Amino acid sequence: DPEHHLIVEMIHSAQMHAEERKLLDSQRQAQNAKIKKGQAHYNKARALQKSGKLGLAVTEYERYINTPYPFSDESKTIAKRDLASLKKELKSQIEQLLEQCKSLASKGLYKEAHAACSKAVSDDPSNETAKETRARMEAGLKRELKSIY
């Protein structure tokens, strides 16, 4: 008898179990999507680093580290090491560009000096020294152009 209370209870129990399974599957899929998104974010930061876009790579690594992705503790530890190394490399690169900028300016090559300073600023937009040096090179370049024209 399909109307028997035990049969109805069994059907209801089976339906609840099926709904619970669907819910768990959707939660598992959402979790897997978050894991893949975290891996993609980490891979993007590494790709930027490998392509030489150090300033952008630093930003991506920091965003990755500060975003709570599931099961990412190991890769975040590696990302933190990569970030520290990357910041050191970026600082060295910026210092080299600024030295090049100053050296070229002392020789009166303001256009080339401005280009080196601009590269330093584009590599690290938050570097105030690079911005100030670039501004001085722009002023020198303008003075040079005024003397020509």
Side-chain angles (χ1 to χ4, degrees):
D1 179 26
E3 298 296 321
H4 191 270
H5 75 284
L6 291 176
I7 301 275
V8 170
E9 190 177 311
M10 193 181 332
I11 291 171
H12 180 68
S13 176
Q15 288 173 340
M16 293 294 286
H17 184 68
E19 287 178 25
E20 187 177 314
R21 194 174 322 131
K22 283 182 185 178
L23 178 63
L24 289 174
D25 285 344
S26 69
Q27 288 174 344
R28 195 175 307 113
Q29 288 174 353
Q31 180 87 335
N32 288 338
K34 288 178 186 177
I35 291 169
K36 285 181 182 179
K37 186 176 180 181
Q39 290 170 339
H41 197 167
Y42 176 72
N43 291 338
K44 179 181 178 183
R46 288 187 55 91
L48 286 168
Q49 180 180 5
K50 287 181 181 178
S51 70
K53 297 177 181 174
L54 305 183
L56 293 174
V58 166
T59 303
E60 281 304 311
Y61 273 122
E62 288 173 341
R63 284 182 54 220
Y64 171 73
I65 290 167
N66 293 323
T67 304
Y69 292 114
F71 303 111
S72 62
D73 292 339
E74 184 178 330
S75 61
K76 284 192 177 187
T77 301
I78 294 168
K80 287 177 184 176
R81 280 193 305 246
D82 289 348
L83 179 60
S85 171
L86 187 59
K87 283 183 175 181
K88 185 177 179 181
E89 183 181 346
L90 181 61
K91 182 180 178 187
S92 172
Q93 182 178 333
I94 298 300
E95 287 172 357
Q96 183 181 6
L97 285 167
L98 289 176
E99 280 303 312
Q100 180 183 6
C101 177
K102 291 173 186 175
S103 172
L104 289 166
S106 69
K107 296 175 185 173
L109 302 170
Y110 292 106
K111 182 177 179 182
E112 293 82 357
H114 182 267
C117 288
S118 292
K119 172 82 169 110
V121 171
S122 71
D123 286 351
D124 186 7
S126 64
N127 189 314
E128 291 302 318
T129 305
K131 289 178 184 178
E132 291 166 6
T133 307
R134 181 178 67 176
R136 284 197 309 271
M137 294 311 117
E138 284 175 358
L141 186 57
K142 286 178 184 176
R143 279 192 308 275
E144 184 180 304
L145 289 173
K146 278 185 180 180
S147 69
I148 293 172
Y149 298 106

